[in-house]
Amino acid sequence: MASNRALLDPDENTEDEYISIFGRYFEHHLDQFESVMLEEDTRKYYSLIIDGLILLNLNVKVGHLLLARPEEMLPLAEKAAILIQITMLEKVRSCEDASLLGTNSPTDYTVKRNINIRVSEVPLTTEFCKPSITALRTEDVGQLIRIKGTVKRNINIRVSEVPLTTEFCKPSITALRTEDVGQLIRIKGTV
C-alpha cells in the first residue's frame, strides 16, 4: 500500500508535535521509565519498547510514520523518552509523600539520555508484514517490516582477505570476501 505513504506528509506536523504524541504514548508506560531511571549507570544504553499496534490506536498517522520512516521518527521518540524522564524526575523530587516512592529515594532516580526505542507488534498488514524474505521489494527499504518464517540452518560465514591488482590501481588492494559464497564484502586499503 504505497498510497498510504503518499498520504502521510511529515511536514504537516512539527517535530515538537510528534514528540508530544510520543510523550502521550509513553505516559501509559511509566513503569518502563521508572525501572530505567532507577538503574545506576548513566552511560549505558537502555531499551524501551513501543507497541506498534497501541501507537497506531493512539495516533494512526504517527504510527504509520514510525513504521514507514523509522530513521526520522525513532529519534523523535527518543527525545520524547528523555523529556518524560525529566518530567518524572521533577515530580519525584517535588513529591512530599514518601510512601509514593516506596523504598526509593528521589536521589535514586536519574535521567538516562542513551535510550534506544524498540518497536514490537508491527501490524499484520501487507504493507508492513511479508510472508518471506523473498517477498521484500525495493519500496520496503527504510521501513520496519515483519517477516514470518523458520530458520532452517545456521552457518558460520568465514571472511578471508584476497589481494587484487587491476590496471587502474597499480598498488595491490585487499578485498574481503566470504569463503562460503565468494562475494566481495568491501575493499580496504589505499587506491
Side-chain angles (χ1 to χ4, degrees), residues 108-174:
D108 293 339
Y109 292 84
T110 55
V111 173
K112 306 302 186 294
R113 300 206 178 269
N114 297 327
I115 296 290
N116 288 322
I117 301 296
R118 308 282 183 232
V119 180
S120 70
E121 300 304 321
V122 174
L124 295 171
T125 64
T126 56
E127 183 179 9
F128 300 115
C129 184
K130 304 297 179 183
S132 66
I133 290 179
T134 58
L136 293 174
R137 300 291 175 251
T138 55
E139 61 264 10
D140 297 326
V141 172
Q143 291 189 64
L144 290 177
I145 301 290
R146 180 182 203 163
I147 298 175
K148 294 188 239 176
T150 304
V151 176
K152 292 186 177 180
R153 66 182 171 144
N154 182 6
I155 61 169
N156 290 329
I157 297 177
R158 293 178 306 275
V159 177
S160 62
E161 294 184 3
V162 180
L164 297 175
T165 304
T166 67
E167 60 185 72
F168 298 109
C169 56
K170 296 299 180 201
S172 179
I173 58 173
T174 303

Short mmCIF file of all heavy atoms in Angstrom, two decimals, residues 108-174:
data_model
loop_
_atom_site.label_atom_id
_atom_site.label_comp_id
_atom_site.label_asym_id
_atom_site.label_seq_id
_atom_site.Cartn_x
_atom_site.Cartn_y
_atom_site.Cartn_z
N ASP A 108 17.72 8.41 43.97
CA ASP A 108 17.94 7.15 43.25
C ASP A 108 17.58 7.28 41.77
O ASP A 108 18.01 6.46 40.96
CB ASP A 108 17.11 6.01 43.85
CG ASP A 108 17.57 5.65 45.25
OD1 ASP A 108 18.73 5.95 45.59
OD2 ASP A 108 16.77 5.05 46.00
N TYR A 109 16.79 8.28 41.42
CA TYR A 109 16.31 8.45 40.04
C TYR A 109 17.27 9.34 39.26
O TYR A 109 17.65 10.41 39.72
CB TYR A 109 14.93 9.10 40.04
CG TYR A 109 13.84 8.21 40.59
CD1 TYR A 109 13.60 8.13 41.96
CD2 TYR A 109 13.04 7.48 39.74
CE1 TYR A 109 12.60 7.32 42.46
CE2 TYR A 109 12.03 6.67 40.23
CZ TYR A 109 11.82 6.59 41.60
OH TYR A 109 10.82 5.79 42.09
N THR A 110 17.67 8.89 38.08
CA THR A 110 18.49 9.72 37.19
C THR A 110 17.94 9.61 35.77
O THR A 110 17.38 8.59 35.38
CB THR A 110 19.96 9.27 37.18
OG1 THR A 110 20.02 7.88 36.83
CG2 THR A 110 20.64 9.52 38.50
N VAL A 111 18.12 10.68 35.01
CA VAL A 111 17.69 10.71 33.62
C VAL A 111 18.73 10.00 32.77
O VAL A 111 19.91 10.30 32.85
CB VAL A 111 17.49 12.16 33.13
CG1 VAL A 111 17.20 12.21 31.64
CG2 VAL A 111 16.39 12.84 33.92
N LYS A 112 18.29 9.04 31.99
CA LYS A 112 19.18 8.31 31.08
C LYS A 112 18.99 8.89 29.68
O LYS A 112 17.91 8.88 29.13
CB LYS A 112 18.85 6.81 31.06
CG LYS A 112 18.83 6.15 32.43
CD LYS A 112 20.14 6.30 33.16
CE LYS A 112 20.22 5.53 34.44
NZ LYS A 112 19.36 5.93 35.51
N ARG A 113 20.06 9.40 29.11
CA ARG A 113 19.99 10.02 27.79
C ARG A 113 20.27 9.03 26.66
O ARG A 113 19.95 9.29 25.52
CB ARG A 113 20.96 11.19 27.71
CG ARG A 113 20.61 12.25 28.76
CD ARG A 113 21.07 13.62 28.38
NE ARG A 113 20.66 14.57 29.39
CZ ARG A 113 19.52 15.25 29.36
NH1 ARG A 113 18.67 15.07 28.40
NH2 ARG A 113 19.23 16.11 30.32
N ASN A 114 20.87 7.89 27.01
CA ASN A 114 21.16 6.87 26.00
C ASN A 114 20.00 5.88 25.94
O ASN A 114 20.02 4.82 26.54
CB ASN A 114 22.47 6.14 26.33
CG ASN A 114 23.65 7.08 26.30
OD1 ASN A 114 23.69 8.02 25.52
ND2 ASN A 114 24.62 6.82 27.15
N ILE A 115 18.98 6.28 25.19
CA ILE A 115 17.76 5.48 25.08
C ILE A 115 17.65 4.96 23.65
O ILE A 115 17.80 5.71 22.69
CB ILE A 115 16.52 6.35 25.41
CG1 ILE A 115 16.56 6.82 26.87
CG2 ILE A 115 15.23 5.61 25.10
CD1 ILE A 115 16.35 5.73 27.88
N ASN A 116 17.38 3.68 23.51
CA ASN A 116 17.07 3.08 22.22
C ASN A 116 15.62 2.64 22.25
O ASN A 116 15.21 1.90 23.15
CB ASN A 116 17.96 1.87 21.93
CG ASN A 116 19.37 2.26 21.62
OD1 ASN A 116 19.62 3.26 20.97
ND2 ASN A 116 20.32 1.47 22.11
N ILE A 117 14.87 3.08 21.28
CA ILE A 117 13.46 2.70 21.18
C ILE A 117 13.38 1.46 20.29
O ILE A 117 13.93 1.41 19.20
CB ILE A 117 12.62 3.84 20.57
CG1 ILE A 117 12.71 5.10 21.43
CG2 ILE A 117 11.17 3.41 20.39
CD1 ILE A 117 12.16 4.97 22.83
N ARG A 118 12.70 0.45 20.78
CA ARG A 118 12.45 -0.78 20.03
C ARG A 118 10.96 -0.86 19.73
O ARG A 118 10.14 -0.55 20.59
CB ARG A 118 12.86 -2.01 20.83
CG ARG A 118 14.26 -1.95 21.38
CD ARG A 118 15.26 -2.26 20.29
NE ARG A 118 16.60 -2.28 20.84
CZ ARG A 118 17.60 -1.60 20.34
NH1 ARG A 118 17.43 -0.85 19.30
NH2 ARG A 118 18.79 -1.66 20.88
N VAL A 119 10.62 -1.29 18.54
CA VAL A 119 9.21 -1.41 18.15
C VAL A 119 8.83 -2.88 18.14
O VAL A 119 9.51 -3.70 17.53
CB VAL A 119 8.96 -0.79 16.75
CG1 VAL A 119 7.50 -0.92 16.36
CG2 VAL A 119 9.38 0.67 16.73
N SER A 120 7.76 -3.20 18.84
CA SER A 120 7.22 -4.55 18.82
C SER A 120 5.82 -4.50 18.22
O SER A 120 5.22 -3.43 18.08
CB SER A 120 7.17 -5.14 20.23
OG SER A 120 6.18 -4.50 20.99
N GLU A 121 5.30 -5.64 17.89
CA GLU A 121 3.93 -5.77 17.37
C GLU A 121 3.69 -4.89 16.14
O GLU A 121 2.81 -4.05 16.11
CB GLU A 121 2.90 -5.46 18.46
CG GLU A 121 2.98 -6.36 19.65
CD GLU A 121 2.87 -7.85 19.32
OE1 GLU A 121 2.07 -8.20 18.44
OE2 GLU A 121 3.60 -8.63 19.94
N VAL A 122 4.48 -5.12 15.11
CA VAL A 122 4.24 -4.46 13.82
C VAL A 122 2.95 -5.06 13.28
O VAL A 122 2.75 -6.27 13.31
CB VAL A 122 5.42 -4.70 12.86
CG1 VAL A 122 5.13 -4.15 11.48
CG2 VAL A 122 6.69 -4.07 13.43
N PRO A 123 2.02 -4.22 12.78
CA PRO A 123 0.72 -4.74 12.34
C PRO A 123 0.83 -5.75 11.20
O PRO A 123 1.75 -5.69 10.39
CB PRO A 123 -0.04 -3.49 11.90
CG PRO A 123 0.95 -2.42 11.78
CD PRO A 123 2.14 -2.79 12.59
N LEU A 124 -0.13 -6.66 11.16
CA LEU A 124 -0.15 -7.71 10.14
C LEU A 124 -0.85 -7.22 8.87
O LEU A 124 -1.82 -7.81 8.41
CB LEU A 124 -0.86 -8.95 10.69
CG LEU A 124 -0.18 -9.65 11.84
CD1 LEU A 124 -1.07 -10.73 12.45
CD2 LEU A 124 1.13 -10.25 11.40
N THR A 125 -0.34 -6.16 8.29
CA THR A 125 -0.87 -5.67 7.02
C THR A 125 0.13 -6.01 5.92
O THR A 125 1.31 -6.23 6.20
CB THR A 125 -1.08 -4.14 7.05
OG1 THR A 125 0.20 -3.50 7.23
CG2 THR A 125 -2.02 -3.73 8.17
N THR A 126 -0.33 -6.02 4.68
CA THR A 126 0.58 -6.37 3.58
C THR A 126 1.67 -5.33 3.42
O THR A 126 2.73 -5.62 2.87
CB THR A 126 -0.20 -6.50 2.26
OG1 THR A 126 -0.91 -5.29 2.02
CG2 THR A 126 -1.14 -7.67 2.31
N GLU A 127 1.44 -4.12 3.90
CA GLU A 127 2.46 -3.07 3.80
C GLU A 127 3.64 -3.33 4.73
O GLU A 127 4.79 -3.08 4.37
CB GLU A 127 1.83 -1.71 4.12
CG GLU A 127 2.77 -0.55 3.97
CD GLU A 127 2.09 0.78 4.26
OE1 GLU A 127 0.95 0.80 4.74
OE2 GLU A 127 2.75 1.81 4.03
N PHE A 128 3.37 -3.84 5.93
CA PHE A 128 4.41 -3.99 6.94
C PHE A 128 4.69 -5.44 7.33
O PHE A 128 5.52 -5.69 8.19
CB PHE A 128 4.06 -3.19 8.20
CG PHE A 128 3.90 -1.72 7.95
CD1 PHE A 128 2.68 -1.10 8.10
CD2 PHE A 128 4.98 -0.97 7.52
CE1 PHE A 128 2.55 0.26 7.87
CE2 PHE A 128 4.85 0.38 7.28
CZ PHE A 128 3.63 1.00 7.45
N CYS A 129 4.02 -6.40 6.74
CA CYS A 129 4.23 -7.80 7.06
C CYS A 129 4.44 -8.58 5.76
O CYS A 129 3.60 -8.54 4.87
CB CYS A 129 3.04 -8.36 7.82
SG CYS A 129 3.26 -10.06 8.36
N LYS A 130 5.54 -9.27 5.66
CA LYS A 130 5.88 -10.04 4.46
C LYS A 130 5.92 -11.52 4.82
O LYS A 130 6.39 -11.89 5.90
CB LYS A 130 7.24 -9.60 3.89
CG LYS A 130 7.34 -8.12 3.59
CD LYS A 130 6.37 -7.69 2.52
CE LYS A 130 6.49 -6.20 2.28
NZ LYS A 130 5.57 -5.70 1.33
N PRO A 131 5.46 -12.38 3.91
CA PRO A 131 5.44 -13.82 4.21
C PRO A 131 6.82 -14.46 4.21
O PRO A 131 7.01 -15.51 4.82
CB PRO A 131 4.56 -14.40 3.10
CG PRO A 131 4.63 -13.42 1.99
CD PRO A 131 4.84 -12.08 2.63
N SER A 132 7.79 -13.84 3.53
CA SER A 132 9.14 -14.41 3.48
C SER A 132 10.12 -13.32 3.06
O SER A 132 9.73 -12.24 2.61
CB SER A 132 9.21 -15.57 2.49
OG SER A 132 9.02 -15.09 1.18
N ILE A 133 11.40 -13.63 3.16
CA ILE A 133 12.43 -12.68 2.75
C ILE A 133 12.34 -12.39 1.26
O ILE A 133 12.57 -11.28 0.82
CB ILE A 133 13.83 -13.20 3.14
CG1 ILE A 133 13.97 -13.14 4.66
CG2 ILE A 133 14.93 -12.42 2.46
CD1 ILE A 133 15.28 -13.64 5.19
N THR A 134 11.96 -13.39 0.48
CA THR A 134 11.86 -13.18 -0.97
C THR A 134 10.73 -12.23 -1.35
O THR A 134 10.70 -11.75 -2.48
CB THR A 134 11.67 -14.53 -1.70
OG1 THR A 134 10.49 -15.17 -1.20
CG2 THR A 134 12.89 -15.41 -1.52
N ALA A 135 9.83 -11.95 -0.42
CA ALA A 135 8.73 -11.03 -0.71
C ALA A 135 9.14 -9.56 -0.53
O ALA A 135 8.38 -8.66 -0.86
CB ALA A 135 7.54 -11.34 0.19
N LEU A 136 10.34 -9.32 -0.01
CA LEU A 136 10.81 -7.95 0.17
C LEU A 136 11.09 -7.30 -1.18
O LEU A 136 11.61 -7.94 -2.09
CB LEU A 136 12.08 -7.92 1.03
CG LEU A 136 11.90 -8.32 2.48
CD1 LEU A 136 13.26 -8.38 3.17
CD2 LEU A 136 10.97 -7.38 3.20
N ARG A 137 10.75 -6.04 -1.30
CA ARG A 137 10.94 -5.29 -2.54
C ARG A 137 11.69 -4.00 -2.24
O ARG A 137 11.83 -3.60 -1.08
CB ARG A 137 9.59 -4.98 -3.19
CG ARG A 137 8.78 -6.20 -3.55
CD ARG A 137 9.46 -6.96 -4.70
NE ARG A 137 8.79 -8.20 -5.01
CZ ARG A 137 9.27 -9.41 -4.74
NH1 ARG A 137 10.42 -9.53 -4.16
NH2 ARG A 137 8.61 -10.48 -5.06
N THR A 138 12.14 -3.33 -3.27
CA THR A 138 12.90 -2.10 -3.08
C THR A 138 12.09 -1.03 -2.37
O THR A 138 12.66 -0.22 -1.64
CB THR A 138 13.40 -1.53 -4.42
OG1 THR A 138 12.30 -1.35 -5.30
CG2 THR A 138 14.42 -2.45 -5.05
N GLU A 139 10.78 -1.01 -2.53
CA GLU A 139 9.97 0.01 -1.84
C GLU A 139 9.91 -0.24 -0.33
O GLU A 139 9.47 0.62 0.42
CB GLU A 139 8.56 0.11 -2.43
CG GLU A 139 7.74 -1.14 -2.33
CD GLU A 139 7.78 -2.00 -3.60
OE1 GLU A 139 8.58 -1.73 -4.50
OE2 GLU A 139 7.00 -2.95 -3.65
N ASP A 140 10.37 -1.41 0.11
CA ASP A 140 10.39 -1.73 1.53
C ASP A 140 11.64 -1.21 2.24
O ASP A 140 11.71 -1.24 3.46
CB ASP A 140 10.31 -3.24 1.75
CG ASP A 140 9.01 -3.83 1.22
OD1 ASP A 140 7.97 -3.13 1.30
OD2 ASP A 140 9.03 -4.97 0.74
N VAL A 141 12.61 -0.73 1.49
CA VAL A 141 13.85 -0.23 2.07
C VAL A 141 13.54 0.95 2.98
O VAL A 141 12.82 1.87 2.61
CB VAL A 141 14.86 0.18 0.98
CG1 VAL A 141 16.07 0.87 1.60
CG2 VAL A 141 15.29 -1.03 0.17
N GLY A 142 14.07 0.92 4.19
CA GLY A 142 13.89 2.02 5.13
C GLY A 142 12.66 1.88 6.01
O GLY A 142 12.41 2.72 6.86
N GLN A 143 11.86 0.83 5.84
CA GLN A 143 10.66 0.63 6.65
C GLN A 143 10.92 -0.46 7.69
O GLN A 143 11.83 -1.27 7.54
CB GLN A 143 9.50 0.15 5.78
CG GLN A 143 8.96 1.16 4.82
CD GLN A 143 7.68 0.63 4.20
OE1 GLN A 143 6.71 0.41 4.90
NE2 GLN A 143 7.70 0.40 2.91
N LEU A 144 10.09 -0.46 8.72
CA LEU A 144 10.09 -1.58 9.65
C LEU A 144 9.17 -2.65 9.05
O LEU A 144 8.03 -2.37 8.73
CB LEU A 144 9.58 -1.16 11.02
CG LEU A 144 10.50 -0.24 11.80
CD1 LEU A 144 9.85 0.16 13.11
CD2 LEU A 144 11.83 -0.89 12.06
N ILE A 145 9.69 -3.84 8.89
CA ILE A 145 8.96 -4.92 8.25
C ILE A 145 8.95 -6.13 9.17
O ILE A 145 9.95 -6.45 9.81
CB ILE A 145 9.63 -5.32 6.90
CG1 ILE A 145 9.69 -4.14 5.95
CG2 ILE A 145 8.93 -6.51 6.26
CD1 ILE A 145 8.36 -3.69 5.40
N ARG A 146 7.83 -6.79 9.21
CA ARG A 146 7.69 -8.03 9.96
C ARG A 146 7.75 -9.18 8.95
O ARG A 146 7.03 -9.18 7.97
CB ARG A 146 6.34 -8.03 10.68
CG ARG A 146 6.05 -9.23 11.49
CD ARG A 146 4.67 -9.09 12.09
NE ARG A 146 4.54 -9.91 13.26
CZ ARG A 146 3.61 -9.76 14.16
NH1 ARG A 146 2.73 -8.81 14.04
NH2 ARG A 146 3.55 -10.55 15.18
N ILE A 147 8.65 -10.13 9.19
CA ILE A 147 8.81 -11.26 8.28
C ILE A 147 8.52 -12.54 9.04
O ILE A 147 9.03 -12.74 10.14
CB ILE A 147 10.24 -11.31 7.69
CG1 ILE A 147 10.52 -10.05 6.89
CG2 ILE A 147 10.43 -12.55 6.83
CD1 ILE A 147 11.93 -9.95 6.38
N LYS A 148 7.71 -13.39 8.44
CA LYS A 148 7.40 -14.68 9.05
C LYS A 148 8.27 -15.74 8.40
O LYS A 148 8.56 -15.67 7.21
CB LYS A 148 5.93 -15.04 8.83
CG LYS A 148 4.96 -14.13 9.53
CD LYS A 148 3.58 -14.70 9.39
CE LYS A 148 2.68 -13.71 8.69
NZ LYS A 148 1.35 -14.21 8.45
N GLY A 149 8.67 -16.73 9.17
CA GLY A 149 9.44 -17.82 8.60
C GLY A 149 10.11 -18.64 9.67
O GLY A 149 10.00 -18.36 10.86
N THR A 150 10.80 -19.65 9.23
CA THR A 150 11.51 -20.55 10.11
C THR A 150 12.96 -20.61 9.68
O THR A 150 13.25 -20.73 8.49
CB THR A 150 10.92 -21.97 10.03
OG1 THR A 150 9.53 -21.90 10.34
CG2 THR A 150 11.60 -22.91 11.00
N VAL A 151 13.87 -20.50 10.64
CA VAL A 151 15.29 -20.64 10.33
C VAL A 151 15.56 -22.12 10.17
O VAL A 151 15.34 -22.91 11.09
CB VAL A 151 16.16 -20.03 11.45
CG1 VAL A 151 17.62 -20.26 11.17
CG2 VAL A 151 15.85 -18.56 11.61
N LYS A 152 16.02 -22.51 8.99
CA LYS A 152 16.25 -23.92 8.71
C LYS A 152 17.68 -24.34 8.96
O LYS A 152 17.96 -25.49 9.25
CB LYS A 152 15.86 -24.24 7.27
CG LYS A 152 14.38 -24.14 7.04
CD LYS A 152 14.02 -24.60 5.67
CE LYS A 152 12.51 -24.55 5.49
NZ LYS A 152 12.11 -24.98 4.18
N ARG A 153 18.62 -23.43 8.79
CA ARG A 153 20.00 -23.77 9.06
C ARG A 153 20.76 -22.53 9.47
O ARG A 153 20.39 -21.41 9.16
CB ARG A 153 20.66 -24.43 7.86
CG ARG A 153 20.80 -23.53 6.67
CD ARG A 153 21.41 -24.28 5.51
NE ARG A 153 21.33 -23.43 4.34
CZ ARG A 153 22.23 -23.37 3.41
NH1 ARG A 153 23.30 -24.10 3.49
NH2 ARG A 153 22.08 -22.60 2.39
N ASN A 154 21.83 -22.78 10.16
CA ASN A 154 22.68 -21.71 10.65
C ASN A 154 24.10 -22.04 10.22
O ASN A 154 24.61 -23.10 10.56
CB ASN A 154 22.57 -21.62 12.17
CG ASN A 154 23.38 -20.49 12.73
OD1 ASN A 154 23.95 -19.69 12.00
ND2 ASN A 154 23.45 -20.42 14.05
N ILE A 155 24.72 -21.15 9.45
CA ILE A 155 26.08 -21.42 9.01
C ILE A 155 26.99 -20.29 9.47
O ILE A 155 26.55 -19.15 9.63
CB ILE A 155 26.17 -21.56 7.47
CG1 ILE A 155 25.73 -20.28 6.78
CG2 ILE A 155 25.39 -22.75 6.99
CD1 ILE A 155 26.02 -20.24 5.30
N ASN A 156 28.23 -20.61 9.68
CA ASN A 156 29.23 -19.60 10.00
C ASN A 156 29.81 -19.09 8.69
O ASN A 156 30.18 -19.88 7.82
CB ASN A 156 30.35 -20.19 10.86
CG ASN A 156 29.87 -20.52 12.24
OD1 ASN A 156 28.99 -19.86 12.77
ND2 ASN A 156 30.45 -21.54 12.85
N ILE A 157 29.89 -17.80 8.56
CA ILE A 157 30.48 -17.20 7.37
C ILE A 157 31.91 -16.85 7.70
O ILE A 157 32.18 -16.12 8.66
CB ILE A 157 29.70 -15.95 6.94
CG1 ILE A 157 28.28 -16.36 6.56
CG2 ILE A 157 30.41 -15.26 5.79
CD1 ILE A 157 27.39 -15.21 6.19
N ARG A 158 32.82 -17.41 6.94
CA ARG A 158 34.24 -17.12 7.15
C ARG A 158 34.65 -16.06 6.14
O ARG A 158 34.33 -16.13 4.96
CB ARG A 158 35.06 -18.39 6.95
CG ARG A 158 34.79 -19.42 8.02
CD ARG A 158 35.57 -20.69 7.79
NE ARG A 158 35.39 -21.29 6.48
CZ ARG A 158 34.42 -22.13 6.15
NH1 ARG A 158 33.51 -22.44 7.06
NH2 ARG A 158 34.33 -22.64 4.95
N VAL A 159 35.36 -15.07 6.62
CA VAL A 159 35.81 -13.98 5.76
C VAL A 159 37.31 -14.11 5.56
O VAL A 159 38.06 -14.36 6.50
CB VAL A 159 35.48 -12.61 6.41
CG1 VAL A 159 35.99 -11.48 5.56
CG2 VAL A 159 33.98 -12.49 6.62
N SER A 160 37.75 -13.96 4.31
CA SER A 160 39.18 -14.02 4.03
C SER A 160 39.58 -12.79 3.21
O SER A 160 38.75 -12.17 2.55
CB SER A 160 39.53 -15.30 3.27
OG SER A 160 38.86 -15.31 2.02
N GLU A 161 40.85 -12.45 3.29
CA GLU A 161 41.37 -11.32 2.54
C GLU A 161 42.00 -11.83 1.26
O GLU A 161 42.73 -12.82 1.26
CB GLU A 161 42.41 -10.57 3.36
CG GLU A 161 41.83 -9.89 4.57
CD GLU A 161 42.85 -9.05 5.31
OE1 GLU A 161 43.99 -8.94 4.86
OE2 GLU A 161 42.49 -8.51 6.35
N VAL A 162 41.68 -11.15 0.16
CA VAL A 162 42.20 -11.54 -1.14
C VAL A 162 42.88 -10.33 -1.76
O VAL A 162 42.25 -9.28 -1.92
CB VAL A 162 41.05 -12.01 -2.06
CG1 VAL A 162 41.58 -12.41 -3.42
CG2 VAL A 162 40.29 -13.14 -1.42
N PRO A 163 44.18 -10.42 -2.13
CA PRO A 163 44.83 -9.28 -2.78
C PRO A 163 44.37 -9.17 -4.24
O PRO A 163 44.26 -10.16 -4.94
CB PRO A 163 46.31 -9.61 -2.69
CG PRO A 163 46.38 -11.08 -2.49
CD PRO A 163 45.10 -11.51 -1.85
N LEU A 164 44.03 -7.95 -4.65
CA LEU A 164 43.59 -7.69 -6.02
C LEU A 164 44.48 -6.62 -6.64
O LEU A 164 44.84 -5.65 -5.99
CB LEU A 164 42.14 -7.18 -6.04
CG LEU A 164 41.04 -8.11 -5.53
CD1 LEU A 164 39.72 -7.37 -5.51
CD2 LEU A 164 40.94 -9.33 -6.44
N THR A 165 44.79 -6.79 -7.91
CA THR A 165 45.52 -5.76 -8.64
C THR A 165 44.82 -5.58 -9.98
O THR A 165 44.53 -6.54 -10.67
CB THR A 165 46.99 -6.19 -8.90
OG1 THR A 165 47.58 -6.49 -7.64
CG2 THR A 165 47.76 -5.09 -9.58
N THR A 166 44.51 -4.33 -10.30
CA THR A 166 43.88 -4.04 -11.59
C THR A 166 44.77 -3.08 -12.35
O THR A 166 45.73 -2.51 -11.81
CB THR A 166 42.49 -3.39 -11.40
OG1 THR A 166 42.68 -2.10 -10.81
CG2 THR A 166 41.60 -4.23 -10.53
N GLU A 167 44.45 -2.87 -13.61
CA GLU A 167 45.26 -1.94 -14.41
C GLU A 167 45.04 -0.50 -13.98
O GLU A 167 45.84 0.36 -14.29
CB GLU A 167 44.98 -2.12 -15.89
CG GLU A 167 43.53 -1.86 -16.27
CD GLU A 167 43.26 -2.17 -17.72
OE1 GLU A 167 43.22 -3.37 -18.08
OE2 GLU A 167 43.10 -1.21 -18.49
N PHE A 168 43.94 -0.22 -13.27
CA PHE A 168 43.67 1.15 -12.84
C PHE A 168 44.38 1.49 -11.53
O PHE A 168 44.77 2.61 -11.32
CB PHE A 168 42.16 1.38 -12.68
CG PHE A 168 41.41 1.20 -13.96
CD1 PHE A 168 40.59 0.10 -14.14
CD2 PHE A 168 41.55 2.11 -14.99
CE1 PHE A 168 39.90 -0.07 -15.32
CE2 PHE A 168 40.86 1.94 -16.18
CZ PHE A 168 40.04 0.85 -16.35
N CYS A 169 44.51 0.52 -10.67
CA CYS A 169 45.19 0.77 -9.40
C CYS A 169 46.41 -0.15 -9.34
O CYS A 169 46.29 -1.33 -9.08
CB CYS A 169 44.26 0.56 -8.20
SG CYS A 169 43.48 -1.05 -8.10
N LYS A 170 47.52 0.41 -9.62
CA LYS A 170 48.76 -0.37 -9.67
C LYS A 170 49.11 -1.02 -8.33
O LYS A 170 49.47 -2.17 -8.29
CB LYS A 170 49.92 0.49 -10.17
CG LYS A 170 49.73 0.96 -11.59
CD LYS A 170 49.62 -0.21 -12.54
CE LYS A 170 49.42 0.32 -13.95
NZ LYS A 170 48.86 -0.60 -14.86
N PRO A 171 48.99 -0.25 -7.21
CA PRO A 171 49.30 -0.96 -5.96
C PRO A 171 48.19 -1.98 -5.68
O PRO A 171 47.03 -1.77 -6.02
CB PRO A 171 49.32 0.14 -4.91
CG PRO A 171 48.59 1.27 -5.49
CD PRO A 171 48.70 1.14 -6.98
N SER A 172 48.56 -3.03 -5.08
CA SER A 172 47.61 -4.08 -4.76
C SER A 172 46.70 -3.60 -3.62
O SER A 172 47.15 -2.97 -2.67
CB SER A 172 48.36 -5.33 -4.34
OG SER A 172 47.45 -6.35 -3.99
N ILE A 173 45.42 -3.90 -3.74
CA ILE A 173 44.48 -3.59 -2.66
C ILE A 173 43.96 -4.90 -2.12
O ILE A 173 44.07 -5.95 -2.76
CB ILE A 173 43.31 -2.70 -3.16
CG1 ILE A 173 42.56 -3.39 -4.29
CG2 ILE A 173 43.80 -1.33 -3.57
CD1 ILE A 173 41.32 -2.66 -4.70
N THR A 174 43.40 -4.85 -0.93
CA THR A 174 42.89 -6.06 -0.31
C THR A 174 41.38 -5.99 -0.24
O THR A 174 40.81 -5.01 0.23
CB THR A 174 43.47 -6.21 1.11
OG1 THR A 174 44.89 -6.20 1.02
CG2 THR A 174 43.02 -7.50 1.75
#
